[in-house]
Amino acid sequence: MRKTLLILGLAPSVLMIVGLAVWRFWPAPPPSETLTFDIGGQRLRFASPYVRLPETIEPDRVDLVVRAPDFAPAAATPARLPAAGEVDDKGRTQIFLTLTPAPKLDRNAPPAERYAPFLAPEAQVTEGGLLRRRFEDNSPYAGEELYLSPPDGEVFFARCQRPRIPSDGLPDACLSEFGADGLMIQMRFDPVWLADWQHLRANALQLAHSAKAP
């Protein structure tokens, strides 16, 4: 009886040791392939599931696909070019990012001033505290609206398509861009995410920053 109790008492310790040994020598999952790009003199590395590879690779440019709102990689089929707002096979909205070198000449005027000649005078406060301005119908941006972080869109702006009546069946899209340490980030996303513009912008900046190779 004493031997049986001794064996039972030692059993948890033995199982723990065996478990640690199995964990220690269990093969780790293979890491995701990493793709490297040189953009504006900077070396950037992205896990391959982020990268959308077009048929023709352009120098100084990388296209990425992420899922909203968590920015998980979404380029499962890199050769395919889905539209902004199109959902993946699990129903999650995709966001498209394009990274290029920042322009050598900075645009000194904030977006509200740059687009001022094409805007209707009225403004409305809308999603996420953004100001909404409508483009005139006779402007190059007819059919679009401009969303600006107060007061002038210097922190964030987006040009978005106005809802089409009747709908043409194509997903609506917004286009935003902002600079980050010598890079220009262009972000294309569904208008439903406008209220989360601060979250989207922060995630895009973090993704670009974390990709910089030492």
Side-chain angles (χ1 to χ4, degrees), residues 85-134:
E86 182 178 334
V87 297
D88 65 9
D89 56 356
K90 295 184 179 179
R92 290 170 293 199
T93 305
Q94 296 174 331
I95 295 176
F96 302 92
L97 304 172
T98 297
L99 276 61
T100 55
K104 293 182 180 180
L105 297 177
D106 292 333
R107 299 169 178 169
N108 295 321
E113 294 183 23
R114 296 206 309 266
Y115 291 109
F118 312 113
L119 294 170
E122 66 273 5
Q124 298 173 312
V125 179
T126 181
E127 296 92 341
L130 295 173
L131 302 177
R132 180 171 61 194
R133 303 281 304 275
R134 183 178 60 83

Short mmCIF file of all heavy atoms in Angstrom, two decimals, residues 85-134:
data_model
loop_
_atom_site.label_atom_id
_atom_site.label_comp_id
_atom_site.label_asym_id
_atom_site.label_seq_id
_atom_site.Cartn_x
_atom_site.Cartn_y
_atom_site.Cartn_z
N GLY A 85 -13.25 47.89 -49.23
CA GLY A 85 -14.55 47.60 -48.70
C GLY A 85 -15.00 46.17 -48.95
O GLY A 85 -15.92 45.69 -48.29
N GLU A 86 -14.36 45.48 -49.87
CA GLU A 86 -14.71 44.08 -50.11
C GLU A 86 -14.29 43.25 -48.91
O GLU A 86 -13.23 43.46 -48.33
CB GLU A 86 -14.00 43.59 -51.37
CG GLU A 86 -14.35 42.15 -51.73
CD GLU A 86 -13.67 41.72 -53.02
OE1 GLU A 86 -13.37 42.59 -53.85
OE2 GLU A 86 -13.43 40.52 -53.18
N VAL A 87 -15.12 42.29 -48.53
CA VAL A 87 -14.82 41.48 -47.35
C VAL A 87 -14.07 40.24 -47.77
O VAL A 87 -14.14 39.80 -48.92
CB VAL A 87 -16.11 41.09 -46.59
CG1 VAL A 87 -16.81 42.32 -46.07
CG2 VAL A 87 -17.04 40.27 -47.48
N ASP A 88 -13.31 39.68 -46.81
CA ASP A 88 -12.60 38.44 -47.10
C ASP A 88 -13.53 37.26 -46.86
O ASP A 88 -14.73 37.41 -46.63
CB ASP A 88 -11.32 38.34 -46.26
CG ASP A 88 -11.61 38.24 -44.77
OD1 ASP A 88 -12.79 38.07 -44.39
OD2 ASP A 88 -10.66 38.33 -43.97
N ASP A 89 -12.97 36.03 -46.90
CA ASP A 89 -13.81 34.85 -46.81
C ASP A 89 -14.45 34.67 -45.44
O ASP A 89 -15.35 33.87 -45.28
CB ASP A 89 -13.01 33.59 -47.18
CG ASP A 89 -11.77 33.42 -46.31
OD1 ASP A 89 -11.50 34.31 -45.47
OD2 ASP A 89 -11.08 32.41 -46.46
N LYS A 90 -14.01 35.45 -44.44
CA LYS A 90 -14.62 35.38 -43.12
C LYS A 90 -15.46 36.62 -42.81
O LYS A 90 -15.83 36.87 -41.67
CB LYS A 90 -13.53 35.20 -42.05
CG LYS A 90 -12.79 33.87 -42.19
CD LYS A 90 -11.79 33.68 -41.08
CE LYS A 90 -11.08 32.32 -41.22
NZ LYS A 90 -10.08 32.11 -40.16
N GLY A 91 -15.72 37.42 -43.84
CA GLY A 91 -16.60 38.57 -43.68
C GLY A 91 -15.95 39.79 -43.08
O GLY A 91 -16.64 40.74 -42.69
N ARG A 92 -14.62 39.83 -43.00
CA ARG A 92 -13.95 40.98 -42.42
C ARG A 92 -13.53 41.97 -43.51
O ARG A 92 -13.02 41.58 -44.54
CB ARG A 92 -12.71 40.51 -41.63
CG ARG A 92 -13.08 39.75 -40.37
CD ARG A 92 -11.89 39.09 -39.73
NE ARG A 92 -11.37 38.02 -40.58
CZ ARG A 92 -10.58 37.05 -40.14
NH1 ARG A 92 -10.22 37.02 -38.88
NH2 ARG A 92 -10.15 36.11 -40.95
N THR A 93 -13.76 43.23 -43.25
CA THR A 93 -13.46 44.25 -44.23
C THR A 93 -11.95 44.41 -44.39
O THR A 93 -11.20 44.38 -43.41
CB THR A 93 -14.07 45.60 -43.80
OG1 THR A 93 -15.47 45.42 -43.57
CG2 THR A 93 -13.89 46.64 -44.87
N GLN A 94 -11.52 44.63 -45.62
CA GLN A 94 -10.10 44.78 -45.90
C GLN A 94 -9.75 46.25 -46.09
O GLN A 94 -10.55 47.05 -46.59
CB GLN A 94 -9.73 43.99 -47.16
CG GLN A 94 -9.92 42.49 -46.98
CD GLN A 94 -9.68 41.72 -48.26
OE1 GLN A 94 -9.90 42.24 -49.35
NE2 GLN A 94 -9.24 40.49 -48.15
N ILE A 95 -8.53 46.60 -45.70
CA ILE A 95 -7.98 47.94 -45.88
C ILE A 95 -6.71 47.79 -46.70
O ILE A 95 -5.91 46.88 -46.48
CB ILE A 95 -7.68 48.61 -44.52
CG1 ILE A 95 -8.99 48.84 -43.76
CG2 ILE A 95 -6.94 49.92 -44.71
CD1 ILE A 95 -8.77 49.42 -42.38
N PHE A 96 -6.51 48.70 -47.64
CA PHE A 96 -5.37 48.63 -48.55
C PHE A 96 -4.42 49.79 -48.27
O PHE A 96 -4.85 50.94 -48.19
CB PHE A 96 -5.84 48.65 -50.00
CG PHE A 96 -6.78 47.52 -50.31
CD1 PHE A 96 -8.14 47.67 -50.18
CD2 PHE A 96 -6.29 46.27 -50.68
CE1 PHE A 96 -9.00 46.62 -50.43
CE2 PHE A 96 -7.15 45.22 -50.92
CZ PHE A 96 -8.51 45.40 -50.80
N LEU A 97 -3.15 49.47 -48.11
CA LEU A 97 -2.12 50.47 -47.83
C LEU A 97 -1.08 50.45 -48.94
O LEU A 97 -0.69 49.40 -49.42
CB LEU A 97 -1.42 50.17 -46.50
CG LEU A 97 -2.31 50.06 -45.26
CD1 LEU A 97 -1.50 49.57 -44.07
CD2 LEU A 97 -2.95 51.39 -44.93
N THR A 98 -0.64 51.64 -49.34
CA THR A 98 0.45 51.78 -50.29
C THR A 98 1.50 52.68 -49.67
O THR A 98 1.20 53.80 -49.24
CB THR A 98 -0.03 52.39 -51.62
OG1 THR A 98 -0.98 51.51 -52.22
CG2 THR A 98 1.13 52.59 -52.58
N LEU A 99 2.74 52.18 -49.61
CA LEU A 99 3.85 52.95 -49.04
C LEU A 99 4.80 53.36 -50.16
O LEU A 99 5.25 52.52 -50.95
CB LEU A 99 4.61 52.13 -48.00
CG LEU A 99 4.07 52.11 -46.58
CD1 LEU A 99 2.66 51.51 -46.53
CD2 LEU A 99 5.00 51.33 -45.65
N THR A 100 5.09 54.66 -50.24
CA THR A 100 6.02 55.22 -51.21
C THR A 100 6.89 56.24 -50.50
O THR A 100 6.60 56.62 -49.36
CB THR A 100 5.26 55.90 -52.37
OG1 THR A 100 4.36 56.88 -51.83
CG2 THR A 100 4.46 54.88 -53.18
N PRO A 101 7.96 56.71 -51.14
CA PRO A 101 8.75 57.76 -50.50
C PRO A 101 7.93 59.03 -50.34
O PRO A 101 7.08 59.36 -51.18
CB PRO A 101 9.91 57.99 -51.49
CG PRO A 101 9.95 56.75 -52.32
CD PRO A 101 8.55 56.27 -52.41
N ALA A 102 8.15 59.74 -49.24
CA ALA A 102 7.47 61.02 -49.04
C ALA A 102 7.93 62.01 -50.10
O ALA A 102 9.10 61.97 -50.53
CB ALA A 102 7.77 61.57 -47.65
N PRO A 103 7.06 62.89 -50.58
CA PRO A 103 7.48 63.88 -51.58
C PRO A 103 8.64 64.72 -51.06
O PRO A 103 8.71 65.06 -49.87
CB PRO A 103 6.21 64.73 -51.76
CG PRO A 103 5.09 63.87 -51.30
CD PRO A 103 5.65 63.00 -50.21
N LYS A 104 9.56 65.04 -51.97
CA LYS A 104 10.72 65.85 -51.55
C LYS A 104 10.30 67.25 -51.14
O LYS A 104 10.90 67.86 -50.25
CB LYS A 104 11.74 65.92 -52.70
CG LYS A 104 12.38 64.57 -53.00
CD LYS A 104 13.42 64.67 -54.10
CE LYS A 104 14.07 63.32 -54.38
NZ LYS A 104 15.08 63.40 -55.47
N LEU A 105 9.28 67.78 -51.80
CA LEU A 105 8.76 69.09 -51.43
C LEU A 105 7.49 68.89 -50.63
O LEU A 105 6.48 68.39 -51.13
CB LEU A 105 8.46 69.92 -52.69
CG LEU A 105 9.68 70.26 -53.56
CD1 LEU A 105 9.24 71.01 -54.81
CD2 LEU A 105 10.69 71.08 -52.77
N ASP A 106 7.53 69.27 -49.35
CA ASP A 106 6.36 69.10 -48.51
C ASP A 106 5.24 70.03 -48.96
O ASP A 106 5.47 71.15 -49.42
CB ASP A 106 6.70 69.41 -47.05
CG ASP A 106 7.64 68.37 -46.45
OD1 ASP A 106 7.61 67.24 -46.93
OD2 ASP A 106 8.38 68.73 -45.52
N ARG A 107 4.02 69.52 -48.84
CA ARG A 107 2.87 70.36 -49.12
C ARG A 107 2.60 71.20 -47.88
O ARG A 107 2.09 70.71 -46.88
CB ARG A 107 1.65 69.47 -49.44
CG ARG A 107 1.88 68.59 -50.67
CD ARG A 107 0.77 67.56 -50.77
NE ARG A 107 0.92 66.74 -51.96
CZ ARG A 107 0.22 65.64 -52.20
NH1 ARG A 107 -0.67 65.23 -51.32
NH2 ARG A 107 0.40 64.95 -53.30
N ASN A 108 2.95 72.47 -47.96
CA ASN A 108 2.84 73.33 -46.79
C ASN A 108 1.39 73.60 -46.39
O ASN A 108 1.07 73.70 -45.22
CB ASN A 108 3.57 74.66 -47.04
CG ASN A 108 5.07 74.45 -47.21
OD1 ASN A 108 5.66 73.63 -46.52
ND2 ASN A 108 5.69 75.18 -48.13
N ALA A 109 0.52 73.74 -47.36
CA ALA A 109 -0.87 74.06 -47.06
C ALA A 109 -1.60 72.83 -46.56
O ALA A 109 -1.49 71.75 -47.14
CB ALA A 109 -1.56 74.61 -48.31
N PRO A 110 -2.38 72.94 -45.48
CA PRO A 110 -3.17 71.81 -45.00
C PRO A 110 -4.27 71.47 -46.01
O PRO A 110 -4.61 72.28 -46.87
CB PRO A 110 -3.75 72.31 -43.68
CG PRO A 110 -3.69 73.79 -43.76
CD PRO A 110 -2.52 74.12 -44.62
N PRO A 111 -4.84 70.27 -45.91
CA PRO A 111 -5.84 69.85 -46.91
C PRO A 111 -7.00 70.81 -47.09
O PRO A 111 -7.49 70.99 -48.21
CB PRO A 111 -6.31 68.50 -46.36
CG PRO A 111 -5.14 67.98 -45.59
CD PRO A 111 -4.50 69.18 -44.97
N ALA A 112 -7.48 71.42 -46.00
CA ALA A 112 -8.61 72.35 -46.13
C ALA A 112 -8.29 73.49 -47.08
O ALA A 112 -9.15 73.96 -47.83
CB ALA A 112 -9.01 72.89 -44.76
N GLU A 113 -7.02 73.93 -47.08
CA GLU A 113 -6.62 75.01 -47.99
C GLU A 113 -6.34 74.48 -49.38
O GLU A 113 -6.68 75.13 -50.38
CB GLU A 113 -5.39 75.72 -47.43
CG GLU A 113 -5.63 76.48 -46.13
CD GLU A 113 -4.40 77.22 -45.66
OE1 GLU A 113 -3.52 77.51 -46.51
OE2 GLU A 113 -4.29 77.48 -44.45
N ARG A 114 -5.72 73.32 -49.49
CA ARG A 114 -5.39 72.76 -50.80
C ARG A 114 -6.64 72.51 -51.63
O ARG A 114 -6.66 72.73 -52.84
CB ARG A 114 -4.61 71.45 -50.65
CG ARG A 114 -3.24 71.61 -50.00
CD ARG A 114 -2.30 70.51 -50.44
NE ARG A 114 -2.83 69.18 -50.30
CZ ARG A 114 -2.63 68.40 -49.23
NH1 ARG A 114 -1.94 68.86 -48.21
NH2 ARG A 114 -3.14 67.19 -49.19
N TYR A 115 -7.68 72.02 -50.97
CA TYR A 115 -8.91 71.68 -51.69
C TYR A 115 -9.94 72.81 -51.68
O TYR A 115 -11.03 72.65 -52.26
CB TYR A 115 -9.54 70.42 -51.09
CG TYR A 115 -8.75 69.16 -51.34
CD1 TYR A 115 -8.06 68.52 -50.31
CD2 TYR A 115 -8.70 68.59 -52.60
CE1 TYR A 115 -7.34 67.35 -50.53
CE2 TYR A 115 -7.99 67.42 -52.85
CZ TYR A 115 -7.31 66.80 -51.80
OH TYR A 115 -6.61 65.64 -52.04
N ALA A 116 -9.63 73.92 -51.03
CA ALA A 116 -10.61 75.00 -50.85
C ALA A 116 -11.28 75.45 -52.15
O ALA A 116 -12.50 75.68 -52.16
CB ALA A 116 -9.95 76.18 -50.15
N PRO A 117 -10.57 75.60 -53.29
CA PRO A 117 -11.23 76.08 -54.50
C PRO A 117 -12.31 75.13 -55.03
O PRO A 117 -13.14 75.55 -55.85
CB PRO A 117 -10.07 76.19 -55.51
CG PRO A 117 -8.84 76.29 -54.69
CD PRO A 117 -9.11 75.45 -53.49
N PHE A 118 -12.31 73.89 -54.58
CA PHE A 118 -13.24 72.90 -55.13
C PHE A 118 -14.37 72.54 -54.17
O PHE A 118 -15.20 71.68 -54.49
CB PHE A 118 -12.48 71.62 -55.49
CG PHE A 118 -11.22 71.85 -56.28
CD1 PHE A 118 -9.97 71.59 -55.73
CD2 PHE A 118 -11.29 72.36 -57.57
CE1 PHE A 118 -8.81 71.81 -56.45
CE2 PHE A 118 -10.13 72.59 -58.30
CZ PHE A 118 -8.90 72.32 -57.74
N LEU A 119 -14.41 73.18 -52.99
CA LEU A 119 -15.35 72.78 -51.95
C LEU A 119 -16.56 73.71 -51.87
O LEU A 119 -16.45 74.92 -52.06
CB LEU A 119 -14.65 72.77 -50.59
CG LEU A 119 -13.54 71.73 -50.39
CD1 LEU A 119 -12.77 72.00 -49.11
CD2 LEU A 119 -14.15 70.32 -50.35
N ALA A 120 -17.72 73.11 -51.57
CA ALA A 120 -18.91 73.90 -51.26
C ALA A 120 -18.69 74.56 -49.89
O ALA A 120 -17.93 74.06 -49.06
CB ALA A 120 -20.14 73.00 -51.24
N PRO A 121 -19.36 75.68 -49.61
CA PRO A 121 -19.05 76.44 -48.39
C PRO A 121 -19.49 75.76 -47.09
O PRO A 121 -18.86 75.95 -46.05
CB PRO A 121 -19.81 77.75 -48.60
CG PRO A 121 -20.88 77.44 -49.60
CD PRO A 121 -20.30 76.39 -50.49
N GLU A 122 -20.56 74.96 -47.11
CA GLU A 122 -21.09 74.42 -45.86
C GLU A 122 -20.21 73.29 -45.34
O GLU A 122 -19.55 72.59 -46.10
CB GLU A 122 -22.53 73.94 -46.04
CG GLU A 122 -22.69 72.75 -46.97
CD GLU A 122 -22.83 73.15 -48.43
OE1 GLU A 122 -22.70 74.35 -48.74
OE2 GLU A 122 -23.07 72.25 -49.27
N ALA A 123 -20.21 73.13 -44.01
CA ALA A 123 -19.46 72.07 -43.34
C ALA A 123 -20.33 71.46 -42.25
O ALA A 123 -21.15 72.15 -41.64
CB ALA A 123 -18.16 72.60 -42.75
N GLN A 124 -20.15 70.17 -42.01
CA GLN A 124 -20.91 69.46 -40.98
C GLN A 124 -19.95 68.66 -40.12
O GLN A 124 -18.94 68.15 -40.60
CB GLN A 124 -21.92 68.50 -41.62
CG GLN A 124 -22.98 69.18 -42.47
CD GLN A 124 -23.84 68.17 -43.20
OE1 GLN A 124 -23.32 67.23 -43.82
NE2 GLN A 124 -25.15 68.34 -43.13
N VAL A 125 -20.29 68.54 -38.83
CA VAL A 125 -19.53 67.66 -37.94
C VAL A 125 -20.14 66.28 -38.04
O VAL A 125 -21.35 66.11 -37.93
CB VAL A 125 -19.58 68.17 -36.48
CG1 VAL A 125 -18.81 67.21 -35.57
CG2 VAL A 125 -19.00 69.57 -36.38
N THR A 126 -19.29 65.28 -38.25
CA THR A 126 -19.82 63.93 -38.51
C THR A 126 -19.00 62.88 -37.77
O THR A 126 -18.46 63.15 -36.70
CB THR A 126 -19.85 63.68 -40.04
OG1 THR A 126 -20.39 62.38 -40.29
CG2 THR A 126 -18.47 63.79 -40.65
N GLU A 127 -18.85 61.71 -38.35
CA GLU A 127 -18.24 60.55 -37.69
C GLU A 127 -16.90 60.89 -37.04
O GLU A 127 -16.03 61.48 -37.67
CB GLU A 127 -18.03 59.41 -38.69
CG GLU A 127 -19.31 58.84 -39.26
CD GLU A 127 -19.71 59.51 -40.56
OE1 GLU A 127 -19.20 60.63 -40.80
OE2 GLU A 127 -20.51 58.92 -41.31
N GLY A 128 -16.75 60.45 -35.78
CA GLY A 128 -15.47 60.62 -35.10
C GLY A 128 -15.04 62.05 -34.93
O GLY A 128 -13.85 62.33 -34.74
N GLY A 129 -15.98 63.01 -34.99
CA GLY A 129 -15.64 64.42 -34.85
C GLY A 129 -15.05 65.04 -36.09
O GLY A 129 -14.58 66.18 -36.05
N LEU A 130 -15.07 64.35 -37.21
CA LEU A 130 -14.52 64.88 -38.45
C LEU A 130 -15.46 65.93 -39.05
O LEU A 130 -16.68 65.86 -38.88
CB LEU A 130 -14.30 63.76 -39.47
CG LEU A 130 -13.27 62.70 -39.11
CD1 LEU A 130 -13.29 61.58 -40.15
CD2 LEU A 130 -11.88 63.30 -39.01
N LEU A 131 -14.88 66.90 -39.75
CA LEU A 131 -15.66 67.87 -40.50
C LEU A 131 -15.88 67.34 -41.91
O LEU A 131 -14.93 66.86 -42.55
CB LEU A 131 -14.93 69.21 -40.56
CG LEU A 131 -14.58 69.86 -39.22
CD1 LEU A 131 -13.79 71.15 -39.45
CD2 LEU A 131 -15.84 70.16 -38.41
N ARG A 132 -17.11 67.44 -42.39
CA ARG A 132 -17.42 66.96 -43.73
C ARG A 132 -17.70 68.14 -44.66
O ARG A 132 -18.51 69.00 -44.35
CB ARG A 132 -18.62 66.02 -43.72
CG ARG A 132 -18.99 65.48 -45.11
CD ARG A 132 -20.04 64.41 -45.01
NE ARG A 132 -21.28 64.90 -44.41
CZ ARG A 132 -22.26 64.12 -43.95
NH1 ARG A 132 -22.12 62.81 -44.00
NH2 ARG A 132 -23.35 64.64 -43.44
N ARG A 133 -17.00 68.17 -45.78
CA ARG A 133 -17.21 69.20 -46.80
C ARG A 133 -17.51 68.50 -48.12
O ARG A 133 -16.90 67.49 -48.46
CB ARG A 133 -15.94 70.06 -46.97
CG ARG A 133 -15.45 70.75 -45.68
CD ARG A 133 -16.24 71.98 -45.36
NE ARG A 133 -16.26 72.95 -46.43
CZ ARG A 133 -15.30 73.88 -46.62
NH1 ARG A 133 -14.24 73.91 -45.83
NH2 ARG A 133 -15.41 74.75 -47.60
N ARG A 134 -18.44 69.05 -48.87
CA ARG A 134 -18.81 68.45 -50.15
C ARG A 134 -18.05 69.15 -51.28
O ARG A 134 -17.91 70.37 -51.30
CB ARG A 134 -20.31 68.59 -50.37
CG ARG A 134 -20.82 67.94 -51.66
CD ARG A 134 -22.33 68.07 -51.78
NE ARG A 134 -22.74 69.46 -51.80
CZ ARG A 134 -22.74 70.23 -52.90
NH1 ARG A 134 -22.35 69.74 -54.06
NH2 ARG A 134 -23.14 71.48 -52.83
#
